[in-house]
Amino acid sequence: MNVMKFGGTSVGSPQRMKEVAKLITPKAGEQNFVVLSAMSGTTNSLVEISDYLYKKNPEGANTIINQLEHKYMEHVDQLYTTEEWRETTRKFLCDEFNYLRSFTKTMFTSFEEKVILAQGEIMSTNMMANLLLEQGKKAVLLSALDMVRTDKNADPDFTYIREKTLQKLSENQGFDIYITQGFICRNAYGEIDNLLRGGSDYTACLIGAALQTDEIQIWTDIDGMHNNDPRIVDHTEPVRQLYFEEAAELAYFGAKILHPTCIQPAKFAGVPVRLLNTMDPTAPGTIINNKMQHGTIKAVAAKDNITCIQIQSSRMLQAHGFLRKVFEIFEQYKTSIDMVCTSEVGVSVTIDNTGHLVDIVNELKKYGTVGVEQNMCIICVVGDLVASNVGFQSLATGALKDIPVRMISYGGSNYNISFLVAESEKRRTLQALSDNLFTRK
Ligand code: ASP
Ligand code: MG
């Protein structure tokens, strides 16, 4: 069995949905477990609806609901060939949109918001299941709400997920295609919840790991992971193979193609993840597996909206416990730190969540002189950067000889060297790295 996940654009139009229906039809004797995102733009619309409802503006919410309904109904006309399946799907969608409208009349809290956000995946999977049934395929829709659960820390409860997924499969034998929703789940209290934006990748990796499938395929609309950001830099190329840790670093540090934590379950289960392109299904894409290719730098990624905080204090000189005090302040405000650089009299850290910046800075001032720089960007270079691989880090640092680099972090893992630069230097930095690391190889 293969797990195949399709993102929003891959199911974003009737034409694309029909292409997906072809791709997920397995060869004789094989089975596919398919995870779908909401149609592209839908989750954003659902967020917007919720936003209006939080602001107690039911009219605003209804306008978006009506627009969305209109779009979906148009899709139905083009997606199915028989009036019977058009009617079945219209009826289902009509109930869905009336359900969304019902939230404009009740109290609105984060609980209701999560129910609203769940409807995008519920709609796309039902539409796909109906399409496959119309085509006479042996397909069945399984609800992710019965299989995927998070624990009290909002982390996926893997034991539960494995048990329930296996149970659902054994209750539904004899099908060629199993379909479920990405992103949505229940939380530890049984309420409807989700795995955060982009979370469908996570669902696919959790299910693939639970079922120990041969492969987890993540189908998007570009040809695998590129060695630099193709929207910013000229001459990027797809990376054919990545080690699990390399992919995790790239996903965390800005490569938008993958949800940052989704690689972990696949890595633990040893199931390779393959990134494929629905627009060009025969292209090789990128395989992410347990093989570390020595002596190569694979890719560069950038993470924006970074704030750098520097704390300088002579109290740090030959004292112990100073860093603990500093880090405790970030912990107290539930703010995670990305990069850290220390010297004997100071420490600089970066954060991306500035929700508590003022409080954090106020607390830090008890321990030293504090400076804050905003609009910074972390540039992360990923590959075989283990210390014994002498001279490799200098390839990256050498590329930046003309660029003001605010922080460098090397040695935290064997796969990464990160640079902090001003956002205004981002394009130049990424291009310089591409030119030096990849083009002139
Ligand atoms: N539909 C959700 C989102 O847009 C989850 C996903 O597509 O992965 O974030
Ligand atoms: Mg995605």
Side-chain angles (χ1 to χ4, degrees):
M1 170 135 31
N2 270 330
V3 168
M4 305 172 85
K5 178 259 166 176
F6 293 85
T9 32
S10 303
V11 292
S13 68
Q15 191 47 40
R16 299 249 59 85
M17 276 207 182
K18 287 184 206 168
E19 299 288 334
V20 170
K22 275 190 216 147
L23 288 169
I24 62 182
T25 303
K27 292 195 206 103
E30 289 181 13
Q31 294 166 310
N32 285 329
F33 200 116
V34 179
V35 175
L36 298 184
S37 287
M39 281 169 55
S40 55
T42 302
T43 312
N44 287 344
S45 296
L46 297 172
V47 168
E48 216 181 332
I49 292 167
S50 307
D51 196 36
Y52 277 120
L53 294 177
Y54 273 124
K55 297 192 165 94
K56 300 198 188 339
N57 178 354
E59 215 180 292
N62 270 325
T63 309
I64 312 284
I65 296 173
N66 293 342
Q67 284 166 358
L68 206 58
E69 181 172 33
H70 182 72
K71 182 173 125 185
Y72 272 73
M73 290 304 177
E74 269 185 4
H75 282 228
V76 170
D77 291 339
Q78 297 167 38
L79 189 57
Y80 304 95
T81 47
T82 61
E83 202 41 48
E84 181 198 343
W85 282 102
R86 281 194 192 117
E87 209 32 56
T88 309
T89 312
R90 267 190 217 118
K91 166 90 186 52
F92 161 77
L93 289 174
C94 196
D95 290 347
E96 275 289 310
F97 285 103
N98 285 337
Y99 184 46
L100 288 178
R101 283 187 191 97
S102 72
F103 290 95
T104 60
K105 298 179 190 101
T106 55
M107 205 177 75
F108 199 74
T109 67
S110 67
F111 172 78
E112 281 78 19
E113 180 185 10
K114 286 178 178 152
V115 177
I116 288 190
L117 292 193
Q119 302 314 311
E121 270 70 12
I122 291 180
M123 292 198 283
S124 65
T125 48
N126 271 278
M127 288 167 81
M128 180 60 78
N130 287 353
L131 178 63
L132 294 168
L133 293 176
E134 181 183 53
Q135 295 175 347
K137 309 266 166 69
K138 280 202 231 159
V140 63
L141 178 59
L142 306 177
S143 174
L145 301 178
D146 296 333
M147 297 182 288
V148 185
R149 185 173 84 174
T150 51
D151 62 19
K152 288 197 170 130
N153 300 320
D155 290 325
D157 181 343
F158 188 65
T159 315
Y160 180 94
I161 295 169
R162 187 171 49 208
E163 196 183 300
K164 290 292 173 183
T165 309
L166 288 168
Q167 184 192 323
K168 287 286 154 197
L169 279 183
S170 77
E171 286 169 8
N172 291 281
Q173 284 176 26
F175 290 96
D176 296 337
I177 309 170
Y178 297 88
I179 300 183
T180 197
Q181 301 84 19
F183 175 61
I184 69 174
C185 63
R186 288 192 186 274
N187 60 26
Y189 313 100
E191 298 159 352
I192 293 183
D193 211 321
N194 60 63
L195 300 172
L196 304 181
R197 296 302 306 271
S200 297
D201 298 343
Y202 209 0
T203 308
C205 289
L206 288 162
I207 288 177
L211 299 177
Q212 288 279 333
T213 52
D214 300 333
E215 210 169 78
I216 298 161
Q217 299 180 349
I218 309 275
W219 290 79
T220 64
D221 55 354
I222 68 163
D223 186 15
M225 204 177 271
H226 278 232
N227 60 6
N228 205 330
D229 191 333
R231 292 162 306 178
I232 300 182
V233 168
D234 301 330
H235 311 302
T236 67
E237 276 173 20
V239 185
R240 292 293 165 226
Q241 187 272 343
L242 286 165
Y243 182 51
F244 280 124
E245 302 291 346
E246 294 174 328
E249 302 257 17
L250 285 173
Y252 184 73
F253 287 110
K256 293 278 177 310
I257 186 169
L258 263 191
H259 180 282
T261 36
C262 80
I263 290 295
Q264 292 312 320
K267 182 188 146 202
F268 288 131
V271 179
V273 177
R274 195 183 288 275
L275 308 179
L276 290 157
N277 183 1
T278 19
M279 309 289 177
D280 186 5
T282 53
T286 302
I287 180 100
I288 303 165
N289 56 21
N290 249 328
K291 295 187 192 90
M292 180 67 205
Q293 270 178 19
H294 291 288
T296 49
I297 291 187
K298 295 286 183 57
V300 178
K303 190 173 176 190
D304 297 326
N305 291 322
I306 301 295
T307 296
C308 172
I309 306 174
Q310 186 181 47
I311 308 109
Q312 292 195 69
S313 170
S314 52
R315 276 202 258 168
M316 194 173 162
L317 207 71
Q318 294 192 342
H320 52 80
F322 180 82
L323 285 178
R324 179 175 57 77
K325 286 188 196 126
V326 166
F327 289 144
E328 267 174 4
I329 294 168
F330 289 89
E331 189 185 340
Q332 189 187 333
Y333 290 101
K334 293 194 165 51
T335 301
S336 74
I337 294 173
D338 283 329
M339 279 174 82
V340 185
C341 284
T342 63
S343 85
E344 195 49 43
V345 289
V347 51
S348 285
V349 301
T350 70
I351 58 171
D352 67 347
N353 172 3
T354 50
H356 296 287
L357 182 63
V358 176
D359 297 326
I360 290 172
V361 169
N362 274 334
E363 291 283 322
L364 288 171
K365 281 182 175 163
K366 294 180 189 158
Y367 301 102
T369 311
V370 182
V372 175
E373 284 163 272
Q374 289 185 296
N375 303 322
M376 305 295 282
C377 163
I378 295 177
I379 309 282
C380 152
V381 178
V382 157
D384 181 15
L385 286 155
V386 61
S388 55
N389 200 357
V390 180
F392 254 57
Q393 82 281 15
S394 70
L395 289 176
T397 38
L400 305 186
K401 60 183 185 304
D402 298 325
I403 291 167
V405 177
R406 172 65 186 77
M407 280 167 76
I408 300 179
S409 181
Y410 171 65
S413 85
N414 289 338
Y415 319 102
N416 169 326
I417 176 164
S418 297
F419 303 94
L420 186 74
V421 299
E423 247 168 46
S424 53
E425 298 286 354
K426 172 176 161 179
R427 179 183 296 268
R428 202 155 71 97
T429 311
L430 288 176
Q431 190 71 60
L433 285 165
S434 249
D435 293 346
N436 279 270
L437 298 175
F438 310 125
T439 320
R440 281 194 223 141
K441 247 192 284 194

